Amino acid sequence: MEYDYYPTKRHFDNHNRIFGGKIWCIQDICGIICAVMTWMLIAYAEFVVMKVIILPCPYPLYRYINMIIFNCGIFLAVSSHLKSMFSDPGAVPKGNATKENIQNMGFREGEVIFKCPKCSSIKPNRAHHCSVCKRCILKMDHHCPWINNCVGERNQKYFVLFCCYIALTSVHALFLCVNQFAMCIKHEWKECSTFSPPATVVLLLFLIFEALLFAVFTIIMLGTQLNAIWNDETGIEQLKKEEARWVKKSRWKSIEAVFGRFSILWMSPFNQPNIKSKMESCLYPV
């Protein structure tokens, strides 16, 4: 069930924030290592594609078109990853289940207010507690170590875009690698790369393995996320097979709840969708 909250003033919560509370960041060593590994693998793909495949290419049109497309994909993927990682996923303030807060909440007679025993917060409908973030997260889908953050109501768009752009970039990298192998074999490994043939083979094979792994993983995650959004049901709710105690949105409204009103900005990691819900108001306790 959902409740209406009527806050009278805002209280800033610095937990899981850095730089004086300006940036959301989970200080989890495992998640930080996974995030850094992601950046390193993306940097490796950029290095091999540019230094081994694109720059040595003797065909200007092929070189410039693929350079622009690949680097745009990398830029959007990294931007989406950073937004997913450093955006508040919809954390309910810790310890806001005080008597004063509860007295200032509007709720119908006979309804129950749930309190999380782990973070002592008022627990809205469809919120779940994350043991890594140590917070209750609105519409929590799952905690992803690769972005060192939860995927929740306020950053799901960025995570979907991250999966989408990594998948597209990985498929593009696979195409470039296969085409480079064909060209090198055709010219008997003469002037097909600035590196020696053995080094070129090793670099390309590792990139093929990386791109294939990333493509499969992100396509599966993208399909899972889109299915959850389409059905207005989070990953945790599907896993636990929770009975829907909320009024499910239509499929289009469910998509708009994540991405905002339909526009080209759906594909931009720099556009914050205007998310409005009854649950969101509990982010600012009295």
Side-chain angles (χ1 to χ4, degrees), residues 163-164 201 213:
C163 292
C164 177
V201 170
L213 188 65

Side-chain angles (χ1 to χ4, degrees), residues 46-106:
E46 173 74 10
F47 169 78
V48 175
V49 168
M50 294 301 297
K51 294 289 290 184
V52 179
I53 301 175
I54 292 181
L55 292 180
C57 179
Y59 308 108
L61 185 62
Y62 177 88
R63 183 168 66 245
Y64 292 126
I65 289 177
N66 282 288
M67 183 186 299
I68 292 170
I69 293 174
F70 188 80
N71 282 288
C72 284
I74 289 290
F75 174 74
L76 291 169
V78 172
S79 299
S80 300
H81 184 271
L82 292 174
K83 289 288 286 186
S84 300
M85 182 174 179
F86 296 116
S87 292
D88 184 340
V92 179
K94 293 188 72 173
N96 72 340
T98 63
K99 184 177 180 180
E100 181 186 1
N101 287 348
I102 294 173
Q103 287 176 345
N104 283 278
M105 289 175 57

Side-chain angles (χ1 to χ4, degrees), residues 153-171:
E153 184 179 62
R154 298 187 63 81
N155 71 341
Q156 189 172 25
K157 171 190 173 178
Y158 307 131
F159 183 73
V160 170
L161 291 181
F162 169 65
C163 292
C164 177
Y165 289 128
I166 286 292
L168 292 174
T169 304
S170 297
V171 171

